[in-house]
Amino acid sequence: EDIIPARVEVVRFVHHAYWCTTCHTDVVAPPAPDEVPGGYLGPQALATMVWLKYHVAIPTNKIQTLLHDLCGLKVSQGAITQSFQRLAGYLRIESGQIREAIRTAAIKHVDETGWTINGVSHWLWAFVNDTWAYFCVDKRRGSDVPIGILGKLFTGVLVSDFLHAYNTKIHGRKQKCLVHLRREIREQRGDDPPLDFTGPEKKLKRLLADAQRLVDRRAQWSSLVFARKVRRAKERLFEFATASYSNPIWKRLSKRILLHRDSLFTFLDVPGLPSDNNTAERAIKPHVIIRNRSFQNRTPAGAEAHGTLSSLVQTLLLQKRPVLKNIANAYLHHRQNRPNLRAPAASPVLFPLA
């Protein structure tokens, strides 16, 4: 087996214009099916750049080198960056659809990680589930961001870590990540924990393991028996949170458990709801790789393009749909029907409304 070397194909599109004696206007032929009006980079080249940047996580200078060495396509880093921003402008309507789908989803995960715009600290937010992925960059790390995306009173269940931004001002059903809780306990334990630490640790680990076993054996019991066991698990959690502890670590952690007691075992009440936030952490991993390989974004327009295009790419991957084909087709649709970014938005094509 071998790879056939790629090559650049140059296509010239000629549009004939004729004068109409009836309406006294110039009549110009419409764009060809694969033509980007006024552009010199074709839809497949643009979609490939997006795929390399937001899925393979290759920085812009490496994209430039790869296109030149493998395909013979000469393009500057500035042209690549401007192409991303132009693409994002035309595909913003699809990104809005993803945002609305996340807002109304029955289950949604949220997480955030550090980001910079021209060296200034920002945050990249991820709102995802098994079908949709929405990303945005914001200077704030408070509750204003999830409220702006999900609403102050959201529907469904929100799975998150224990960040304060998800606790007070945003209301709805929640599930706190138990992996984060176990991880913090493990970090606080140390190599030689005192006796007043290991006792509560074993008790809580046993309680969390019993709760997980309830989910695994849900089908073995009737709904009445299962509800009784869930009620008992929640009673045990409350008893653990309200007990007296001599260890300062457990004094602090017991207060947290008491504060979030209604959000720790939601997965027992909602079938199919995970007890961890791994979905959001996996979705945010490519951005961490991009962050480590680049200077993130230089301008707000670049940050907006990053959020829009990464939302589209990750959503298509989650839905197991071809990225290159769908990005290219959607861009052609909007570009040929919208002469410029200020024109009214065309109908969506990536995620057509049912």
Side-chain angles (χ1 to χ4, degrees):
E1 296 181 356
D2 204 354
I3 297 177
I4 300 175
R7 61 183 178 85
V8 175
E9 182 181 59
V10 180
V11 180
R12 182 178 65 172
F13 297 95
V14 179
H15 294 267
H16 295 281
Y18 297 93
W19 175 259
C20 178
T21 57
T22 303
C23 56
H24 301 288
T25 56
D26 285 323
V27 180
V28 184
D34 56 345
E35 178 186 358
V36 177
Y40 81 94
L41 289 174
Q44 293 302 321
L46 294 169
T48 301
M49 294 176 189
V50 172
W51 180 77
L52 290 171
K53 175 71 173 182
Y54 299 104
H55 177 51
V56 189
I58 298 179
T60 306
N61 61 328
K62 297 294 180 64
I63 295 176
Q64 179 191 30
T65 303
L66 189 147
L67 293 175
H68 179 266
D69 292 351
L70 296 185
C71 310
L73 178 61
K74 296 181 180 179
V75 58
S76 67
Q77 295 185 47
I80 295 174
T81 301
Q82 291 176 9
S83 297
F84 289 155
Q85 296 179 16
R86 191 177 302 112
L87 273 163
Y90 282 98
L91 298 178
R92 195 176 294 124
I93 183 173
E94 269 77 15
S95 178
Q97 281 185 287
I98 298 174
R99 174 175 172 170
E100 185 60 30
I102 285 291
R103 181 190 291 264
T104 58
I107 299 175
K108 40 229 172 188
H109 300 252
V110 59
D111 200 6
E112 77 293 326
T113 188
W115 202 256
T116 62
I117 298 180
N118 200 25
V120 179
S121 295
H122 283 68
W123 297 92
L124 186 142
W125 293 78
F127 300 85
V128 302
N129 58 19
D130 292 336
T131 308
W132 304 94
Y134 181 80
F135 303 96
C136 63
V137 178
D138 201 291
K139 196 171 184 178
R140 300 165 295 177
R141 201 192 182 190
S143 58
D144 292 344
V145 178
I147 287 176
I149 302 298
L150 304 176
K152 195 168 186 178
L153 180 61
F154 59 87
T155 59
V157 182
L158 179 66
V159 185
S160 70
D161 54 26
F162 294 89
L163 183 68
H164 186 69
Y166 312 126
N167 299 337
T168 55
K169 296 182 180 179
I170 180 169
H171 304 288
R173 211 169 188 184
K174 304 172 185 176
Q175 170 64 52
K176 295 302 178 182
C177 179
L178 298 186
V179 172
H180 278 78
L181 181 60
R182 292 190 181 98
R183 186 183 302 155
E184 182 171 359
I185 294 172
R186 186 170 59 251
E187 292 172 352
Q188 296 291 337
R189 188 177 191 274
D191 297 330
D192 188 20
L195 292 177
D196 61 350
F197 182 91
T198 56
E201 178 192 20
K202 292 179 180 178
K203 188 175 182 180
L204 181 59
K205 289 175 65 175
R206 184 166 56 249
L207 174 57
L208 297 180
D210 290 344
Q212 186 60 51
R213 276 192 290 269
L214 284 179
V215 175
D216 299 336
R217 301 175 182 177
R218 181 192 296 265
Q220 300 178 9
W221 299 303
S222 66
S223 57
L224 186 62
V225 173
F226 182 76
R228 185 173 68 247
K229 291 181 177 294
V230 169
R231 184 168 61 252
R232 177 53 188 156
K234 292 181 179 180
E235 290 173 354
R236 290 171 59 193
L237 182 68
F238 181 78
E239 292 169 0
F240 180 88
T242 55
S244 298
Y245 300 98
S246 58
N247 188 283
I249 296 175
W250 283 112
K251 287 182 179 180
R252 176 177 59 83
L253 290 179
S254 63
K255 290 181 181 179
R256 178 188 297 179
I257 294 173
L258 182 62
L259 177 65
H260 300 290
R261 65 185 183 278
D262 295 332
S263 303
L264 292 177
F265 284 172
T266 310
F267 71 101
L268 297 177
D269 301 323
V270 181
L273 179 68
S275 62
D276 57 68
N277 200 28
N278 292 344
T279 300
E281 294 195 351
R282 285 193 297 266
I284 220 165
K285 184 66 178 293
H287 302 272
V288 175
I289 298 175
I290 293 174
R291 181 182 65 196
N292 295 336
R293 294 178 177 177
S294 68
F295 294 103
Q296 291 98 79
N297 298 119
R298 290 295 189 183
T299 64
E304 184 177 355
H306 181 95
T308 297
L309 296 178
S310 58
S311 299
L312 299 181
V313 170
Q314 294 302 319
T315 296
L316 290 171
L317 290 171
L318 288 173
Q319 298 180 4
K320 294 179 171 54
R321 298 168 59 190
V323 175
L324 298 180
K325 176 182 177 181
N326 282 282
I327 292 291
N329 290 344
Y331 179 57
L332 282 174
H333 172 83
H334 292 301
R335 188 66 186 268
Q336 292 180 0
N337 289 280
R338 260 196 298 168
N340 56 70
L341 298 182
R342 297 180 181 179
S347 60
V349 291
L350 275 182
F351 315 107
L353 298 177

